[in-house]
């Protein structure tokens, strides 16, 4: 099994790029079907979702805008349970269909905060697309419209996801070796 070491921890290959691509193709097909005739604005959550956004957007068929937002909730391998806005949305979203692009939904707090921040903006509708979902950790009470893969409650890196900023550039996803 292929392994990588980042800082003080070792991770083993768990989701190869081919599986990631398959999950993204499935999400893109659903979005293309659900958004016919609209011009959605995709909002990518930085930093983690940049690779997923890049691959997903290439498969989107309708005219679309892309914007970026940055929140922070992780320190090391544990969610710190608080989300602070770092870079806000400055695009006018009134009457727009917004599709949020997230790398992974864990506790769900980040998306919860984003949904609250979007509330006063009078959107037409908002949809959530996440590549990965940890159902065992999820505490949110909203619907996640598009899920690439549900995964166990383990800490992972790669394909945009980091361990203290390392690992984002890995093409495949790796799981922390206990
Ligand atoms: P949530 O607010 O708990 O849902 O966490 C969401 C954010 O935490 C994601 O956008 C990721 O950036 C980060 N995150 C959650 N799980 C992991 C993981 O296993 N590895 C790396 N980052 C993660
Ligand atoms: Mg993220």
């Amino acid at each position: 099994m292929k392994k990588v070491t980042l800082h003080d921890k070792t991770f083993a290959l768990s989701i190869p790029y081919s599986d990631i691509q398959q999950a993204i193709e499935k999400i893109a097909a659903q979005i293309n079907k659900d958004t016919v005739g609209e011009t959605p604005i995709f909002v990518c959550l930085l930093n983690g979702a940049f690779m997923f956004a890049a691959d997903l957007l290439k498969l989107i068929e309708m005219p679309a805008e892309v914007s970026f937002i940055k929140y922070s909730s992780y320190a090391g391998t544990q969610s710190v349970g608080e989300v602070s806005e770092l870079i806000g949305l400055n695009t006018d979203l009134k009457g727009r269909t917004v599709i949020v692009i997230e790398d992974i939904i864990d506790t769900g707090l980040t998306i919860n905060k984003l949904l609250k921040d979007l509330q006063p903006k009078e959107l037409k509708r908002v949809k959530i697309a996440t590549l990965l979902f940890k159902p065992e950790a999820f505490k949110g009470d909203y619907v996640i419209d598009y899920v690439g893969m549900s995964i166990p409650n383990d800490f992972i890196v790669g394909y945009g996801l980091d361990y203290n900023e390392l690992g984002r550039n890995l093409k495949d996803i790796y799981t922390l070796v206990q």
Side-chain angles (χ1 to χ4, degrees), residues 66-100:
V66 184
S67 189
F68 299 88
I69 191 170
K70 185 164 176 169
Y71 289 107
S72 149
S73 80
Y74 257 66
T77 59
Q78 288 270 309
S79 179
V80 292
E82 245 173 66
V83 180
S84 58
E85 186 172 354
L86 304 179
I87 303 171
L89 271 175
N90 38 30
T91 319
D92 183 13
L93 299 176
K94 195 171 175 186
R96 301 296 304 270
T97 293
V98 171
I99 302 175
V100 175

Side-chain angles (χ1 to χ4, degrees), residues 110-146:
T110 306
I111 298 296
N112 202 40
K113 166 100 167 79
L114 178 58
L115 291 173
K116 276 209 187 92
D117 289 350
L118 291 177
Q119 208 131 45
K121 296 188 185 286
E122 302 176 68
L123 313 183
K124 181 179 172 196
R125 57 183 178 143
V126 61
K127 300 248 181 203
I128 313 289
T130 188
L131 177 63
L132 301 158
F133 177 48
K134 291 182 183 170
E136 291 160 48
F138 188 61
K139 296 194 201 99
D141 55 6
Y142 47 86
V143 173
I144 307 170
D145 303 275
Y146 309 106

Side-chain angles (χ1 to χ4, degrees):
M1 181 63 69
K2 197 173 166 196
K3 289 194 175 153
V4 291
T5 298
L6 304 169
H7 299 294
D8 56 334
K9 299 202 189 306
T10 301
F11 299 81
L13 181 69
S14 52
I15 310 175
Y17 183 67
S18 54
D19 290 5
I20 297 171
Q21 280 309 303
Q22 253 181 29
I24 295 174
E25 282 165 21
K26 187 185 77 182
I27 293 177
Q30 289 170 338
I31 293 176
N32 285 331
K33 197 168 119 240
D34 292 351
T35 326
V36 173
E38 294 188 76
T39 305
I41 176 160
F42 287 87
V43 174
C44 169
L45 279 152
L46 295 172
N47 292 335
F50 77 98
M51 270 207 194
F52 172 39
D55 280 343
L56 176 68
L57 288 164
K58 284 177 264 187
L59 301 174
I60 295 302
E61 289 162 0
M62 76 291 292
E65 288 180 41
V66 184
S67 189
F68 299 88
I69 191 170
K70 185 164 176 169
Y71 289 107
S72 149
S73 80
Y74 257 66
T77 59
Q78 288 270 309
S79 179
V80 292
E82 245 173 66
V83 180
S84 58
E85 186 172 354
L86 304 179
I87 303 171
L89 271 175
N90 38 30
T91 319
D92 183 13
L93 299 176
K94 195 171 175 186
R96 301 296 304 270
T97 293
V98 171
I99 302 175
V100 175
I101 305 180
E102 176 62 307
D103 50 359
I104 184 165
I105 297 182
D106 181 29
T107 63
L109 288 170
T110 306
I111 298 296
N112 202 40
K113 166 100 167 79
L114 178 58
L115 291 173
K116 276 209 187 92
D117 289 350
L118 291 177
Q119 208 131 45
K121 296 188 185 286
E122 302 176 68
L123 313 183
K124 181 179 172 196
R125 57 183 178 143
V126 61
K127 300 248 181 203
I128 313 289
T130 188
L131 177 63
L132 301 158
F133 177 48
K134 291 182 183 170
E136 291 160 48
F138 188 61
K139 296 194 201 99
D141 55 6
Y142 47 86
V143 173
I144 307 170
D145 303 275
Y146 309 106
V147 175
M149 275 180 248
S150 290
I151 60 165
N153 199 8
D154 299 322
F155 188 76
I156 58 169
V157 293
Y159 199 74
L161 293 145
D162 72 303
Y163 167 47
N164 285 345
E165 297 308 326
L166 294 184
R168 295 194 194 277
N169 56 305
L170 295 165
K171 183 173 178 180
D172 309 290
I173 290 174
Y174 293 74
T175 299
L176 179 65
V177 177
Q178 296 301 335

